Amino acid sequence: MPNALNISQLKKSYGSLEALKGISFCVQQGDFFALLGPNGAGKSTTIGIISSLVNKSSGSVEIFGYDIQRQKNIAKKHIGLVPQEFNFSIFEQVMQIVVNQAGYYGIPRKVAVPRAEELLNKLGLWEKRSSVARTLSGGMKRKLMIVRALLHNPQLLILDEPTAGVDVETRREMWDFLTQLNTQGTTIILTTHYLEEAEQLCKNIAIIDHGEIIQNTSMKKLLAQLDHESFIIDTRDEINELQEVEGYSLQKIDNNTIRLDLHKDQNLNNVIAKLSEQDIQIKSMRNKANRLEELFIRLTKK
Amino acid sequence: MNAHEQFIAFYTILRKEIARFMRIWTQTLLPAVISITLYFIIFGAFIGSQIKPIKGFSYMQFVVPGFIMMAVIQNTYGNVVSSFFGTKFQKSVEELLVSPTPSYVIILGYCCGGMLRGLLIAFLVTATSLIFEPLTIFHPLTTVVFVILTAFLFSLIGLTNAIFAQKFDDINIIPTFVLTPLIYLGGVFYSIELLPNFWQKVSLFNPVLYMVNGFRYGFLGVSDIEVWFALTMLVVFIVIFFVINLIFITRGVGLKS
Ligand SMILES: Nc1ncnc2c1ncn2[C@@H]1O[C@H](COP(=O)(O)OP(=O)(O)OP(=O)(O)O)[C@@H](O)[C@H]1O
Ligand SMILES: [Mg+2]
């Protein structure tokens, strides 16, 4: 069974700027894959090359075993793309945009229309089917691009920041939708700057920075690398003085807040007991940052 | 994609193009009719009545085919250049670029859209001209062949222009500085026999002269040039621009970074 995506030694230069410096990674069929990285890392460039919108400088890309250059058309049929920036005609109606896209894949209208209806309904856009795209809200435009990408039943769906500017509820709807799609067999590649999203949805991950892959592993293994976690503790009463607790890193932030850095070999019970001894009552406790976020910042900070 | 799928893709583009120029008909269809009516009134009725017959035809009869051809050239070119540049500008051209639609289908889709607008304009202008002057057609097939090939050629050139255009100004430069002079000096309003010898020779380098004269021959049976030569030249230019567009779109020139 070929991989859904094989990227090998992929390079891209924009003039003197080397946006991709020879990256290689692969995505297995059925995976839900996160491609993460800071702004300008090269995520959209990579996705652009995969989907034939950007010309590569060198290297190779295969989609389900088909080379994107030598077997262009068959490779293209396997991909559905939700780009980072809106790229539909704002003067056209939702239904037209979606059905036309199907036409470009050779799908006749009588097949496309019912399929469009089903997808628009699923993503809550059916009411807007006759609206001109210009009049949609930002979140609706994102959903429109998801529907458009799925009309030809692609086996690999690539989403470049699909949840940017999308409200919490809609984001959850999209997550459910994508999870369902993935369960039914569609391979998904996702880029996002919401790391809790990637942590929740994705099985495998590549982190790209300055045009190079700096991590490529499973989400579980990556998170296991995290050797300590930071907690924020809110206290019930004001603390005057915080005594040190041997072996633990505790830091008073203000009169009601303590920061605790916990190594993964340590446990919370001890430190809570020690705090109780000091007569400090814990009102609530939370992670300082999302776990993936902490790792991400550490990995990309140089 | 098999032939049937390619046809669906072609028809999708064509349909979208027709919907576009019909949606904005006040910008795409009406102006030609208005300006042609003005040309008829001014050059045909007011000035034309003062001009002695050309090649045995009244001035009005002589210029009508020129007017039609001028409108066809301007509108086919204008349709493709602004529509395709619009899709580039809005990035919706990416919808086509990610799809398996072959380059030649993209070219044919956009060009047939432009040609249809051109032919619709030709029909409207001809109908308008009937108000002023009865129509005679000497050789209908020649008329039709010339109008279709000319419309095809200028939609291809419009596409090339759109591929190269980076900003809105770029889609006006060629029409203003190249196309309009070539049309006006291409024998729309006069026979080159009326020019001094030297300028007659210079005019022969103007491709539009051949199209206007070929088309006029279809109506009146008179021409400044050899009709067969005009036809061959049209076909050669069509092949050249088709291949240029094919190479550019396939390589993504002006479309992909
Ligand atoms: N068309 C272009 N011309 C020149 N440089 C470009 C072009 N597109 C991208 N770049 C450059 O390539 C680098 C990678 O950009 P890319 O869009 O791939 O980043 P990204 O990882 O998607 O970032 P973001 O998270 O902000 O979307 C950046 O330095 C960017 O400025
Ligand atoms: Mg990006």
Side-chain angles (χ1 to χ4, degrees):
Chain A
M1 195 164 75
N3 282 328
L5 174 69
N6 257 341
I7 291 187
S8 162
Q9 285 305 315
L10 188 64
K11 289 189 185 178
K12 173 65 187 178
S13 302
Y14 295 108
S16 61
L17 179 97
E18 218 183 352
L20 294 179
K21 299 171 183 161
I23 61 166
S24 305
F25 66 92
C26 55
V27 176
Q28 284 168 4
Q29 287 191 31
D31 203 353
F32 204 137
F33 189 90
L35 181 61
L36 305 183
N39 290 135
K43 302 179 297 294
S44 297
T45 301
T46 307
I47 290 174
I49 294 171
I50 298 171
S51 50
S52 301
L53 294 177
V54 174
N55 287 325
K56 63 182 191 217
S57 302
S58 66
S60 78
V61 178
E62 281 174 15
I63 310 292
F64 291 88
Y66 300 109
D67 187 278
I68 57 156
Q69 239 174 351
R70 277 175 282 120
Q71 293 149 300
K72 190 163 64 180
N73 288 348
I74 179 110
K76 280 175 164 181
K77 280 195 176 184
H78 283 82
I79 306 175
L81 173 69
V82 180
Q84 181 172 5
E85 287 171 49
F86 302 130
N87 70 343
F88 42 77
S89 165
I90 55 168
F91 303 113
E92 283 172 24
Q93 293 175 358
V94 169
M95 195 63 167
Q96 276 171 5
I97 291 174
V98 173
V99 172
N100 282 347
Q101 185 69 58
Y104 302 150
Y105 286 86
I107 300 168
R109 290 182 88 78
K110 62 175 187 296
V111 178
V113 170
R115 182 146 174 75
E117 181 176 342
E118 182 197 327
L119 285 165
L120 288 172
N121 262 318
K122 260 195 193 158
L123 280 157
L125 276 180
W126 178 242
E127 244 80 280
K128 294 281 177 185
R129 64 190 175 280
S130 308
S131 302
V132 175
R134 178 169 36 90
T135 64
L136 298 184
S137 77
M140 293 171 187
K141 286 178 182 159
R142 296 250 166 241
K143 291 201 273 187
L144 166 60
M145 295 204 296
I146 296 181
V147 173
R148 188 185 60 178
L150 289 173
L151 228 74
H152 61 287
N153 265 321
Q155 282 171 272
L156 171 64
L157 177 66
I158 306 176
L159 306 114
D160 197 348
E161 299 192 29
T163 51
V166 168
D167 73 35
V168 183
E169 204 187 319
T170 313
R171 198 179 311 160
R172 290 191 191 264
E173 265 173 43
M174 279 192 196
W175 291 357
D176 289 344
F177 180 80
L178 293 176
T179 309
Q180 200 189 357
L181 205 65
N182 179 244
T183 320
Q184 289 163 359
T186 308
T187 310
I188 299 181
I189 299 177
L190 174 82
T191 84
T192 178
H193 291 294
Y194 300 110
L195 297 175
E196 77 277 11
E197 177 169 294
E199 185 176 337
Q200 188 166 332
L201 295 174
C202 300
K203 297 171 200 155
N204 289 295
I205 179 170
I207 299 181
I208 179 169
D209 192 17
H210 297 292
E212 285 172 303
I213 301 280
I214 54 171
Q215 282 286 330
N216 180 13
T217 172
S218 74
M219 190 65 80
K220 271 205 191 109
K221 281 191 188 143
L222 183 70
L223 290 173
Q225 282 184 19
L226 195 62
D227 54 7
H228 70 268
E229 262 182 278
S230 303
F231 294 94
I232 300 292
I233 297 169
D234 296 313
T235 61
R236 188 167 300 279
D237 307 308
E238 295 205 349
I239 12 171
N240 302 321
E241 205 188 340
L242 179 68
Q243 287 160 23
E244 284 197 13
V245 175
E246 175 136 9
Y248 290 90
S249 153
L250 282 170
Q251 196 187 339
K252 182 173 147 187
I253 295 177
D254 62 35
N255 284 341
N256 273 311
T257 328
I258 300 168
R259 173 182 164 155
L260 162 67
D261 288 311
L262 195 69
H263 193 268
K264 71 174 177 196
D265 299 330
Q266 296 178 311
N267 71 52
L268 271 169
N269 295 23
N270 283 343
V271 73
I272 290 172
K274 288 277 171 17
L275 287 174
S276 304
E277 279 171 21
Q278 290 185 37
D279 220 13
I280 294 172
Q281 296 188 31
I282 296 172
K283 193 170 83 179
S284 64
M285 190 165 89
R286 64 199 137 88
N287 273 108
K288 179 168 172 285
N290 163 278
R291 293 184 300 163
L292 182 57
E293 197 162 303
E294 247 176 69
L295 250 177
F296 182 84
I297 289 169
R298 215 169 339 129
L299 288 168
T300 57
K301 180 175 64 190
K302 252 161 247 160
Chain B
M1 285 182 120
N2 61 33
H4 180 62
E5 290 172 327
Q6 292 188 10
F7 179 77
I8 290 170
F10 164 78
Y11 184 63
T12 305
I13 301 174
L14 181 62
R15 209 180 141 115
K16 190 167 72 97
E17 283 304 286
I18 296 171
R20 190 194 78 98
F21 71 67
M22 292 308 259
R23 183 173 61 223
I24 49 172
W25 63 277
T26 51
Q27 296 165 51
T28 51
L29 301 179
L30 198 58
V33 175
I34 291 177
S35 59
I36 289 302
T37 309
L38 292 172
Y39 277 124
F40 278 134
I41 294 171
I42 295 167
F43 292 99
F46 298 169
I47 300 178
S49 58
Q50 312 287 316
I51 298 175
K52 49 181 199 274
I54 300 176
K55 296 185 188 224
F57 292 95
S58 78
Y59 185 62
M60 191 73 169
Q61 281 175 319
F62 183 81
V63 290
V64 166
F67 285 162
I68 299 173
M69 204 48 136
M70 176 164 78
V72 168
I73 291 174
Q74 287 170 338
N75 282 280
T76 47
Y77 190 95
N79 196 72
V80 179
V81 78
S82 46
S83 176
F84 197 75
F85 181 72
T87 65
K88 248 176 77 165
F89 188 77
Q90 296 199 54
K91 289 174 178 281
S92 59
V93 70
E94 293 181 359
E95 294 177 337
L96 277 164
L97 297 179
V98 298
S99 81
T101 304
S103 308
Y104 86 91
V105 172
I106 299 178
I107 298 173
L108 288 180
Y110 276 91
C111 289
C112 288
M115 285 164 74
L116 269 185
R117 167 161 155 205
L119 297 179
L120 191 57
I121 291 277
F123 174 78
L124 290 173
V125 171
T126 310
T128 312
S129 79
L130 291 176
I131 302 171
F132 299 88
E133 190 73 33
L135 193 69
T136 56
I137 297 188
F138 171 75
H139 200 290
L141 184 66
T142 311
T143 314
V144 171
V145 167
F146 267 90
V147 76
I148 288 178
L149 290 183
T150 306
F152 191 29
L153 175 60
F154 280 93
S155 57
L156 284 168
I157 306 177
L159 187 60
T160 312
N161 188 168
I163 289 172
F164 275 107
Q166 302 283 342
K167 47 191 191 309
F168 274 102
D169 290 343
D170 297 345
I171 67 173
N172 290 320
I173 289 175
I174 305 280
T176 310
F177 295 104
V178 182
L179 217 49
T180 308
L182 286 183
I183 293 171
Y184 279 62
L185 300 173
V188 170
F189 302 98
Y190 53 81
S191 160
I192 58 167
E193 281 175 11
L194 303 177
L195 298 176
N197 214 327
F198 172 73
W199 291 108
Q200 282 191 27
K201 296 255 156 54
V202 173
S203 294
L204 292 176
F205 286 100
N206 180 353
V208 177
L209 180 80
Y210 296 83
M211 299 163 203
V212 169
N213 272 283
F215 188 59
R216 181 175 283 139
Y217 177 83
F219 277 93
L220 308 178
V222 296
S223 166
D224 286 342
I225 44 90
E226 274 299 327
V227 174
W228 278 112
F229 182 71
L231 200 61
T232 315
M233 202 195 60
L234 258 177
V235 172
V236 170
F237 272 120
I238 285 172
V239 172
I240 291 174
F241 276 96
F242 195 92
V243 171
I244 289 177
N245 285 328
L246 199 62
I247 293 172
F248 287 165
I249 292 184
T250 307
R251 295 211 179 140
V253 175
L255 302 171
K256 300 181 186 177
S257 41

